[in-house]
C-alpha cells in the first residue's frame, strides 16, 4: 500500500475529464500511478475539442454526447489522430461513425449479441476497510477512460454488489462473469470471503434463471492453518467453479506477505494439483476444477526495490514445469504476468519493448508453450489491456500479437478487473476496434486480430473461456433471452445511463 507521503502526491481520479477513453492512468493504493504523459495531454485536448464541436452539432451537451455510441467512436478517432499521426490507425472506426449517431448506434446494436465472458471481475464486501478503489474509479472518470464515471462522485457503495450487477450486465455487453477475490494475511482486507463469492454467484444465477455468474475460491498455500484441509472443506461445501491463488502471498499488503509460493513446488503444490485432477474426474459437471487461476506480474522495478525478496514469486519461471508435470490442468495466468504498473507504466514498458523487442514476463509467458511443449497455459488480459490500449496502443498491439502468436489465439482469455475501472464497455470497444499495424505484423510475424466479431476476437472475448469451463452453445444462447437480458432491453430502451466512471488515484504531477 502507498505511504502517506506518496498519497500526498495524488488526488482522486474524479477530477479527470470524462472522456469515453481515460486521458490519464489511474491506480489503486498498491502502486504509484504515472503522471499524465505528453501524448495523453494531447489526446485530452483533442477529444475535448472534438466532443464540444460534435455535441453542438447534435444539440446535446458534451457530457451526454460522450455517453453515446457516436461519442465512443469520436474518442477512438481522437486516439488515432494522436497516436497514429497519419499512419495506419490502431483502432477501426467506420466512415462517419463519430458524426452520425444513428450509424454509430446501429454498429453498437449489431454487436450487442456478441458472447463476452469476463472471467476476472471484482466487488467489495460490506464493511470493508479498503477505500483506495473508490479513488481509482474517480481517477478513471477524470481520465475520461470511462465516460459513465465522468463527473460522478464515487462512494464505497459503487464498489459493492448492486452497482456490480448494473455496470457489468446492464452498462456493458458482458454476458457472463466470474467473481474473483484477493487474499491478505490480515483477513479484513480480503475483498470477499469464499462464502460471499458463492452467495453472489447463486443470487445472480437465480435472478437471471441462467448461469450468468461463476465464482472463484481463493487458496492460500503454505499457511500454517492446514490450508489443504480448508481447500477440501470449501470445495465440498461451496463447489467453486475454479480456484485462484496469489504466488506473491499477500498482494494487498505486501509488507505482510509471509507465505509466498511457487507453482512448481512439488512439496507444497503438487498435493493440491492431485486433488484437482481427482475432483475433476469425480465431478464432471464442474470442469473448471481443472483451471488453476494465478495472479502474476504487476510488480514494477519500483515495487521490486521495496520488496526484492518477492520478485521471484511474481514472474513466470515456475509456470512451465508445473504445466508440463500436470497436463490435465490448465494454468491461467492473470494479467498475463504484465510487470509495468505504477509510475513506470506504460511508457517504460514500451521503452523496454522498443529497446529489446520484448515485454518482460509477458513475452516469457508467451514463450512457455514452445519451450516446454505444453498446451495448457493461458494468458488472462486482466487490466493490462485497459492500461496499454488507453495510454500506449502500439504497446497494446504488441502484447496482443505476442500472446496470440506464442500461446495461440485459443489460449488468450478476456478479463477486465472491473469494477476497479468502472463498467467494462470501453475496454470491450477498444479490443473490438484494435488492429496490429502492418509494419508490426511483418516485423514480428504477427497475424492480424481481425474483425470485431471475427474468430480471434470472438475467441478472446468468450469462446476460449467457454471451452475450458464447458459453457455450452445452448447456455450461450440462453443468456440472450433470460430475465437479465430482458432487464437490459428495458434499461436500454428507457435510456439507461451508462456511467463512464473509473475509480482510484491519479498523479498530480
Amino acid at each position: 500500500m502507498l505511504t502517506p507521503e506518496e498519497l500526498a502526491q495524488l488526488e482522486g481520479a474524479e477530477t479527470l475529464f470524462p472522456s469515453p477513453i481515460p486521458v490519464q492512468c489511474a491506480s489503486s493504493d498498491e502502486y504509484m500511478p504515472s503522471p499524465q504523459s505528453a501524448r495523453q495531454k494531447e489526446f485530452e485536448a483533442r477529444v475535448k475539442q472534438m466532443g464540444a464541436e460534435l455535441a453542438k452539432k447534435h444539440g446535446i451537451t458534451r457530457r451526454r454526447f460522450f455517453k453515446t455510441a457516436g461519442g465512443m467512436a469520436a474518442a477512438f478517432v481522437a486516439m488515432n489522430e494522436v497516436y497514429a499521426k497519419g499512419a495506419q490507425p490502431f483502432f477501426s472506426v467506420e466512415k462517419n461513425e463519430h458524426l452520425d449517431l444513428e450509424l454509430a448506434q446501429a454498429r453498437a446494436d449489431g454487436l450487442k449479441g456478441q458472447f463476452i465472458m469476463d472471467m476476472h471481475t471484482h466487488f467489495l464486501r460490506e464493511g470493508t476497510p479498503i477505500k483506495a478503489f473508490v479513488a481509482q474509479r474517480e481517477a478513471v472518470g477524470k481520465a475520461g477512460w470511462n465516460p459513465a464515471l465522468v463527473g460522478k462522485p464515487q462512494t464505497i457503495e459503487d464498489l459493492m454488489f448492486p452497482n456490480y450487477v448494473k455496470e457489468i450486465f446492464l452498462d456493458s455487453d458482458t454476458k457472463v462473469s466470474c467473481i474473483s477475490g484477493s487474499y491478505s494475511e490480515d483477513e479484513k482486507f480480503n475483498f470477499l470471503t469464499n462464502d460471499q463469492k458463492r452467495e453472489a454467484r447463486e443470487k445472480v444465477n437465480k435472478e437471471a434463471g441462467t448461469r450468468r455468474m461463476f465464482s472463484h475460491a481463493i487458496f492460500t498455500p503454505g499457511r500454517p492453518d492446514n490450508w489443504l484441509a480448508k481447500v477440501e472443506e470449501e470445495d465440498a461445501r461451496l463447489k467453486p467453479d475454479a480456484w485462484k491463488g496469489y504466488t506473491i502471498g499477500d498482494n494487498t499488503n505486501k509488507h505482510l506477505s509471509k507465505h509466498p509460493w511457487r507453482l512448481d513446488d512439488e512439496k507444497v503444490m503438487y498435493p493440491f494439483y492431485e486433488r484437482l485432477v481427482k475432483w475433476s474426474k469425480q465431478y464432471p459437471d464442474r470442469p473448471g476444477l481443472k483451471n488453476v487461476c494465478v495472479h502474476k506480474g504487476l510488480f514494477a522495478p519500483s515495487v521490486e526495490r521495496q520488496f526484492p525478496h518477492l520478485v521471484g514469486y511474481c514472474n513466470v519461471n515456475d509456470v512451465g514445469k508445473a504445466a508440463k508435470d500436470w497436463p490435465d490442468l490448465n494454468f491461467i495466468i492473470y494479467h498475463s504476468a504484465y510487470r509495468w504498473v505504477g509510475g513506470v507504466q506504460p511508457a517504460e514498458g514500451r521503452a523496454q519493448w522498443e529497446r529489446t523487442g520484448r515485454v518482460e514476463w509477458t513475452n516469457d509467458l508467451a514463450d512457455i508453450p514452445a519451450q516446454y511443449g505444453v498446451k495448457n497455459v493461458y494468458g488472462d488480459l486482466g487490466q493490462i489491456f485497459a492500461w496499454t490500449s488507453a495510454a500506449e496502443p502500439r504497446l497494446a498491439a504488441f502484447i496482443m500479437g505476442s500472446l496470440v502468436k506464442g500461446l495461440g489465439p485459443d489460449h488468450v482469455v478476456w478479463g477486465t478487473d472491473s469494477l476497479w475501472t468502472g463498467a467494462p464497455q470501453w475496454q470491450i470497444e477498444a479490443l473490438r476496434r484494435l488492429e496490429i499495424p502492418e509494419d508490426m505484423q511483418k516485423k514480428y510475424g504477427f497475424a492480424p486480430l481481425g474483425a470485431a466479431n471475427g474468430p480471434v476476437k470472438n475467441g478472446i472475448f468468450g469462446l476460449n473461456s467457454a471451452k475450458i469451463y464447458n459453457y455450452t452453445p445452448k447456455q450461450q444462447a440462453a443468456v440472450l433471452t433470460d430475465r437479465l437480458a430482458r432487464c437490459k432491453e428495458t434499461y436500454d430502451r428507457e435510456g439507461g445511463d451508462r456511467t463512464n466512471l473509473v475509480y482510484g488515484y491519479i498523479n498530480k504531477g
Side-chain angles (χ1 to χ4, degrees):
M1 301 176 72
L2 296 176
T3 66
E5 293 75 19
E6 289 172 326
L7 288 171
Q9 303 174 46
L10 309 177
E11 61 181 340
E14 76 281 357
T15 60
L16 293 174
F17 176 71
S19 159
I21 303 169
V23 299
Q24 185 173 337
C25 294
S27 78
S28 67
D29 65 350
E30 295 175 272
Y31 51 83
M32 284 289 288
S34 54
Q36 188 180 40
S37 70
R39 286 194 295 180
Q40 286 175 322
K41 291 178 181 178
E42 184 182 353
F43 167 67
E44 180 177 0
R46 182 69 187 105
V47 80
K48 282 180 177 178
Q49 178 188 5
M50 185 179 294
E53 293 171 352
L54 293 175
K56 183 178 180 180
K57 173 185 175 183
H58 294 295
I60 57 178
T61 65
R62 182 169 64 181
R63 180 167 296 175
R64 184 64 209 162
F65 172 71
F66 278 138
K67 292 185 178 183
T68 69
M72 183 74 78
F76 283 105
V77 170
M79 285 287 288
N80 286 334
E81 291 179 355
V82 170
Y83 287 91
K85 296 292 187 184
Q88 182 182 350
F90 294 102
F91 302 103
S92 64
V93 181
E94 293 184 15
K95 183 178 180 181
N96 296 328
E97 186 184 345
H98 61 304
L99 305 175
D100 186 333
L101 296 187
E102 291 185 1
L103 175 65
Q105 189 59 49
R107 176 193 174 278
D109 290 343
L111 292 168
K112 278 185 177 180
Q114 187 172 30
F115 180 66
I116 297 176
M117 192 169 181
D118 188 342
M119 301 303 280
H120 191 165
T121 68
H122 296 285
F123 67 86
L124 297 179
R125 60 183 173 81
E126 293 186 7
T128 179
I130 301 173
K131 307 298 182 183
F133 290 120
V134 176
Q136 183 170 338
R137 283 175 61 100
E138 290 176 340
V140 171
K142 289 179 179 179
W145 293 6
N146 191 337
L149 302 184
V150 172
K152 181 179 181 294
Q154 297 299 295
T155 68
I156 195 67
E157 285 73 25
D158 290 310
L159 292 167
M160 293 182 180
F161 180 73
N163 194 49
Y164 173 93
V165 173
K166 173 185 180 292
E167 293 196 342
I168 297 296
F169 295 114
L170 300 183
D171 288 339
S172 88
D173 290 337
T174 302
K175 306 301 185 297
V176 178
S177 71
C178 178
I179 184 62
S180 192
S182 181
Y183 156 79
S184 177
E185 293 279 351
D186 186 345
E187 292 189 354
K188 69 175 179 287
F189 286 98
N190 292 348
F191 294 169
L192 298 166
T193 66
N194 287 342
D195 285 84
Q196 288 170 329
K197 290 191 281 289
R198 176 186 180 274
E199 290 167 5
R201 178 188 71 183
E202 299 306 304
K203 185 172 184 177
V204 168
N205 292 344
K206 180 180 179 180
E207 293 298 322
T210 59
R211 193 180 185 190
R212 283 285 195 140
M213 180 179 277
F214 289 63
S215 65
H216 282 153
I218 297 293
F219 64 95
T220 55
R223 289 270 303 212
D225 53 358
N226 200 348
W227 71 277
L228 273 175
K230 182 180 180 182
V231 163
E232 291 177 339
E233 185 275 328
E234 290 191 326
D235 191 83
R237 181 169 57 86
L238 302 178
K239 295 179 172 57
D241 296 295
W243 286 87
K244 179 187 177 185
Y246 285 72
T247 53
I248 190 176
D250 189 336
N251 187 56
T252 302
N253 298 292
K254 295 179 179 65
H255 63 287
L256 298 179
S257 187
K258 302 174 183 177
H259 305 102
W261 47 276
R262 290 177 58 90
L263 284 166
D264 59 0
D265 188 321
E266 297 185 14
K267 181 179 179 180
V268 173
M269 292 304 299
Y270 284 28
F272 173 62
Y273 300 153
E274 289 175 357
R275 286 163 172 79
L276 294 185
V277 172
K278 173 186 173 182
W279 292 338
S280 66
K281 294 177 180 178
Q282 186 176 352
Y283 307 112
D285 60 326
R286 297 173 60 202
L289 286 171
K290 295 182 178 180
N291 299 331
V292 183
C293 303
V294 187
H295 173 100
K296 286 283 192 179
L298 308 192
F299 205 80
S302 58
V303 182
E304 179 184 346
R305 286 191 288 273
Q306 299 178 62
F307 308 100
H309 63 293
L310 295 177
V311 67
Y313 299 96
C314 297
N315 60 33
V316 295
N317 65 10
D318 57 343
V319 176
K321 181 180 185 301
K324 188 167 186 175
D325 288 348
W326 296 91
D328 291 333
L329 300 178
N330 297 316
F331 291 84
I332 305 171
I333 308 304
Y334 273 42
H335 308 288
S336 291
Y338 183 71
R339 185 177 192 184
W340 298 96
V341 296
V344 301
Q345 74 85 18
E348 289 195 23
R350 174 171 174 165
Q352 183 192 63
W353 157 52
E354 291 179 336
R355 184 176 67 253
T356 67
R358 298 178 63 82
V359 174
E360 199 168 7
W361 299 358
T362 300
N363 277 99
D364 296 336
L365 175 68
D367 290 343
I368 287 174
Q371 289 179 345
Y372 287 85
V374 297
K375 298 180 179 179
N376 57 340
V377 175
Y378 293 76
D380 154 82
L381 295 181
Q383 225 178 110
I384 69 171
F385 182 75
W387 291 329
T388 58
S389 64
E392 294 286 347
R394 192 169 177 85
L395 176 61
F398 176 78
I399 288 173
M400 293 302 301
S402 297
L403 292 173
V404 168
K405 180 181 178 181
L407 299 178
D410 56 346
H411 280 61
V412 181
V413 294
W414 185 243
T416 64
D417 227 4
S418 299
L419 291 178
W420 307 153
T421 51
Q425 188 63 23
W426 66 276
Q427 295 188 47
I428 293 170
E429 278 300 309
L431 181 57
R432 281 172 171 168
R433 296 175 184 275
L434 181 69
E435 186 53 274
I436 302 171
E438 291 181 2
D439 67 306
M440 292 176 62
Q441 293 181 33
K442 293 177 181 177
K443 182 175 182 178
Y444 298 104
F446 294 155
L449 297 176
N453 57 356
V456 173
K457 291 179 181 177
N458 277 341
I460 293 171
F461 273 132
L463 297 183
N464 296 341
S465 286
K467 183 176 181 180
I468 58 179
Y469 284 93
N470 195 27
Y471 196 82
T472 67
K474 184 177 180 180
Q475 290 174 304
Q476 295 169 37
V479 300
L480 299 177
T481 58
D482 66 4
R483 288 193 288 270
L484 194 50
R486 294 195 291 274
C487 286
K488 180 170 173 55
E489 288 178 2
T490 302
Y491 179 80
D492 290 341
R493 184 172 62 250
E494 298 300 322
D497 195 17
R498 182 186 76 235
T499 57
N500 293 314
L501 298 179
V502 184
Y503 316 110
Y505 295 109
I506 58 168
N507 195 310
K508 291 186 288 188

